[in-house]
Amino acid sequence: MLDIRLFREQPDLVRTALANRQMDPSVVDEVIALDERRRTLVRRVEDLKAKRNAASKEIGRTKDAEERAKKIAAMRAVSDEIKQLDAELRELEARLRSVLATIPNIPDPRVPIGKDENDNVVVKQVGEPQEFPFKPLPHWEIGTKLGIIDFERGVKLSGTRFYILKGMGARLERALIAWMLDLHRSQGYTEIYPPFMVKEAAVFASGQLPKFRDNLYHDAEEDFWWVPTAEVPLTAMHMDEILEGETLPRYYTAYTPCFRREKMSAGRDVRGIKRGHQFDKVEMYIYSRPEESDAALEKMLADAEATLAGLGLTYRVVQLCTGDLGFAARITYDLEVWAPGLGEWLEVSSVSNVGDFQARRANIRYRPEGGGKPRFLHTLNGSGLGLPRTMIAVLENYQQADGSVVIPEALRPYLGGAEVIKPQ
RNA sequence: GGAGGGAUGGCCGAGUGGACGAAGGCAACGGUCUUGAAAACCGUAGUGGGCGCAAGCCCACCGGGGGUUCGAAUCCCUCUCCCUCCGCCA
């Protein structure tokens, strides 16, 4: 949610931001008009209320019955008008809120301007795509041959985009999760185990609603929404709170499954485990003072990179351009890992500073050290990492000519010391 | 799922239609006293919004939303959450 004052004081800033995001800037005028009408109404209704409050106090003091009746009669009309204006105001504010809720964050000035993902900028690359003495297989072939991924039974259970991990496949998934959580813990993050279903207000707070309603699963009878990312509970857990300044920055990490309908990607990436309706992810999240959020972004990016480096994988850092930036983000770096079997770079992490955008929606503030007015804080989120694509990278990069897969050293302690996955 | 009881400021807690933004206590902050501290005493204190250069004035907020009334913390409806008992259950 953007500060309404931006629309009053710097409307062109918002218009430019929307244009850079390839969106129609005309909503800005709608917001300004609604805001002006709102303020006019507020003034009128508050004047009337002040009048009514004064008169009511007087009525309370008036002893004479006839005098009293007269005053009450006079106030009845005022009260009716207030009622009517209040209703009008309520409706107006609801409309203003709902329009505001659909407007994305303003990109950081450092974000390159561009149309779509083709204009993203590769910031750096670590490692080189590995040369194989044989033709590297895609992970679905490796996984099926090893007997650790069972697509047919996943589909039998739940339909397309589902699969079963079995034996060393399931254990590898669990090892990756545990290793990542331990890594982030050592980087200073506090581990959180949140609910996987949350209220609508929680999904709104992080900005997934109302815009991405079609991509979310929710219970038909009750107010339960399946989390599409741990970012949702990690944002909403501090909803409506004022945090003490000295407790910032706060670093959190959480593992959750993520549930997405993928309506917008219908027909894309249906092969393998690249894009499922349910996938695991380990997330990092930071609550920071505004002046420290730039530094927090650097730290989070480095922490995410450490996972890929720790697994010995080749990756690159890509800065998203304005046209490809997520709804809530101000600035985002994607981490892409090389998958030799697929022959492509896979997005495994997205690290963003959203500024005070989510904090405004979720009403999360902090009280500066030494007192003073509560201020909105900044939040940052980053995957560290998405599990299926990390799994793809591990399987495809560590595959051997004989069909086995060598287990990255970092994960071996989590797998009883096993060094290689052989057909089972 | 059934029956009952609750939700008031940072915390505890009073308040069942009229000077209540809310008694009292604790905690906090400032001050007086003191060599210093404690105690005691005095004082200040919430959030959001509107108007204003500002001082300040006004409006709203007693779990959320709606209603009754000239006037609601107080009455009515509704939702959420918490507690107790019963039932069911991994």
Side-chain angles (χ1 to χ4, degrees):
Chain A
M1 192 87 78
L2 294 177
D3 189 345
I4 186 71
R5 272 172 295 207
L6 278 180
F7 293 82
R8 287 179 204 157
E9 291 158 18
Q10 305 175 67
D12 282 333
L13 181 80
V14 185
R15 285 194 191 98
T16 306
L18 287 167
N20 285 342
R21 279 177 176 272
Q22 307 296 308
M23 296 178 73
D24 182 5
S26 67
V27 267
V28 174
D29 298 308
E30 191 183 350
V31 169
I32 291 171
L34 285 170
D35 179 51
E36 271 169 14
R37 275 194 54 207
R38 179 187 156 264
R39 280 190 294 168
T40 309
L41 259 180
V42 164
R43 248 171 287 156
R44 269 176 65 198
V45 79
E46 287 191 353
D47 277 354
L48 288 173
K49 281 181 180 174
K51 198 186 290 178
R52 183 182 68 182
N53 287 344
S56 288
K57 279 183 186 172
E58 228 180 279
I59 289 168
R61 269 185 258 118
T62 306
K63 294 284 187 299
D64 182 72
E66 204 174 311
E67 187 79 5
R68 233 176 127 96
K70 226 192 283 175
K71 285 177 174 164
I72 288 174
M75 270 307 111
R76 198 161 285 150
V78 174
S79 195
D80 283 348
E81 195 180 350
I82 289 173
K83 214 163 285 176
Q84 196 196 317
L85 291 178
D86 259 342
E88 216 175 303
L89 190 60
R90 251 201 312 273
E91 200 185 312
L92 197 61
E93 286 182 333
R95 226 168 60 229
L96 181 59
R97 250 199 320 276
S98 71
V99 173
L100 228 38
T102 61
I103 298 175
N105 205 354
I106 310 249
D108 186 290
R110 290 166 293 185
V111 172
I113 294 174
K115 206 161 167 260
D116 53 36
E117 74 254 22
N118 296 311
D119 295 324
N120 293 343
V121 177
V122 176
V123 176
K124 78 167 176 182
Q125 180 176 321
V126 176
E128 284 297 324
Q130 191 188 160
E131 296 294 333
F132 285 82
F134 56 94
K135 188 179 177 334
L137 299 177
H139 64 281
W140 56 81
E141 284 189 38
I142 303 169
T144 306
K145 281 181 180 157
L146 286 173
I148 62 173
I149 307 178
D150 183 341
F151 292 99
E152 281 171 31
R153 292 202 174 89
V155 170
K156 178 163 75 181
L157 278 176
S158 308
T160 182
R161 291 195 191 281
F162 287 93
Y163 53 87
I164 283 172
L165 296 177
K166 186 180 144 200
M168 279 306 275
R171 292 180 63 196
L172 182 60
E173 178 92 357
R174 184 160 57 87
L176 281 164
I177 293 166
W179 173 71
M180 286 178 193
L181 285 171
D182 284 347
L183 176 66
H184 298 320
R185 210 155 41 82
S186 77
Q187 291 164 336
Y189 297 78
T190 301
E191 187 173 339
I192 300 286
Y193 176 86
F196 300 158
M197 295 188 289
V198 299
K199 299 183 203 182
E200 180 169 352
V203 193
F204 180 87
S206 51
Q208 321 291 329
L209 277 179
K211 207 171 169 205
F212 301 106
R213 184 175 212 97
D214 290 349
N215 201 31
L216 300 173
Y217 292 104
H218 66 101
D219 187 277
E221 290 172 8
E222 305 202 55
D223 186 18
F224 283 128
W225 296 70
W226 299 75
V227 301
T229 159
E231 181 191 337
V232 171
L234 290 177
T235 305
M237 66 189 253
H238 286 307
M239 226 172 357
D240 296 318
E241 289 184 31
I242 299 174
L243 306 178
E244 288 307 324
E246 51 266 27
T247 67
L248 298 177
R250 294 194 188 198
Y251 302 95
Y252 294 119
T253 185
Y255 151 76
T256 68
C258 303
F259 303 96
R260 300 184 184 178
R261 297 180 66 192
E262 300 294 355
K263 286 284 175 213
M264 295 175 294
S265 315
R268 271 172 57 195
D269 308 320
V270 285
R271 193 96 197 255
I273 65 174
K274 181 176 165 189
R275 190 185 295 274
H277 288 306
Q278 168 193 319
F279 67 93
D280 287 332
K281 181 158 60 67
V282 170
E283 184 80 0
M284 294 176 284
Y285 202 91
I286 302 179
Y287 289 79
S288 112
R289 293 181 197 84
E291 58 274 21
E292 290 169 345
S293 71
D294 273 344
L297 182 69
E298 294 306 311
K299 169 177 167 56
M300 190 178 265
L301 180 59
D303 293 340
E305 285 189 53
T307 54
L308 291 169
L311 293 171
L313 296 169
T314 293
Y315 68 93
R316 60 186 196 181
V317 179
V318 176
Q319 175 165 30
L320 300 195
C321 72
T322 52
D324 200 28
L325 211 55
F327 179 74
R330 237 181 206 181
I331 179 167
T332 298
Y333 293 99
D334 274 3
L335 258 46
E336 298 183 341
V337 68
W338 176 249
L342 294 171
E344 63 177 313
W345 295 93
L346 286 179
E347 181 195 329
V348 279
S349 176
S350 210
V351 180
S352 303
N353 184 355
V354 308
D356 62 9
F357 191 80
Q358 286 174 332
R360 280 179 190 283
R361 286 182 158 243
N363 188 30
I364 305 170
R365 291 167 294 169
Y366 75 101
R367 193 174 305 278
E369 288 98 317
K373 284 262 170 206
R375 301 170 63 195
F376 287 111
L377 43 74
H378 282 196
T379 59
L380 302 95
N381 63 80
S383 8
L385 308 165
L387 266 293
R389 293 178 187 182
T390 306
M391 174 88 83
I392 292 173
V394 168
L395 294 179
E396 294 188 1
N397 279 289
Y398 285 93
Q399 62 181 305
Q400 307 297 308
D402 65 1
S404 67
V405 170
V406 170
I407 297 167
E409 265 177 62
L411 298 177
R412 292 178 190 172
Y414 294 83
L415 290 165
E419 292 173 9
V420 65
I421 302 174
K422 294 188 174 121
Q424 33 188 241

